[in-house]
Amino acid sequence: MNKQTEIEKELAQLPILEYEFFKPEDIIFSKEVRDLCEGNSCGLYNTSWACPPAVGSVESCIEKCQAYDKAMLFTTATEMASSFDMKGWMRARVEHEALTDQVAAVFRCYDKDALILSTEGCTVCKKCTYPDAPCRFQDRMYPATESYGIMVMQMAPSLNISYNNGTNTVTYFSMVLFNE
């Protein structure tokens, strides 16, 4: 049995909505996504090891991703009271990050150097050590897919993964890069 088959057996036990394996060369990168980070649209630019500029240039992120043999994109979707349910969004994100921890553990059994990318910067610590000290939890700090300049909105449909799962839902994405 190959590594992917073994991984898929373990992933079947987790509450992943959708996932797809693909080649890192198929990742859609865009400087415009990174420009949103640098424009500080989410407020995390230059405040976290999981966000720019700490993750490196878009070019260095592309190099990191393309150094791996395989990639997998996966999602969770959570129904909320309304599209404006900010507490629901946050609760869903916490649940997604907990699942990302579980997925990371599966992949790291097969490749200890697997790269895990997730959502909107790291939330492990209340106050990030960036830039004054090294990250305290490097094994749980997952850079944001957007911080790497990845166009999840365009990638999802190309992989037959739903980007939007309906009214009053929030869909979160994470990506794993690993070697066979």
Side-chain angles (χ1 to χ4, degrees), residues 137-171:
F137 300 101
Q138 291 182 22
D139 61 326
R140 291 187 54 223
M141 185 281 295
Y142 311 129
T145 53
E146 293 84 0
S147 76
Y148 268 54
I150 296 173
M151 289 284 294
V152 174
M153 184 184 285
Q154 288 181 349
M155 281 191 63
S158 74
L159 296 170
N160 293 315
I161 292 177
S162 298
Y163 184 78
N164 182 333
N165 285 285
T167 307
N168 298 333
T169 65
V170 61
T171 304

Side-chain angles (χ1 to χ4, degrees), residues 32-48 51-53:
E32 287 76 26
V33 173
R34 177 57 83 79
D35 290 344
L36 290 173
C37 289
E38 292 175 10
N40 211 14
S41 63
C42 72
L44 295 175
Y45 182 79
N46 203 28
T47 66
S48 167
C51 297

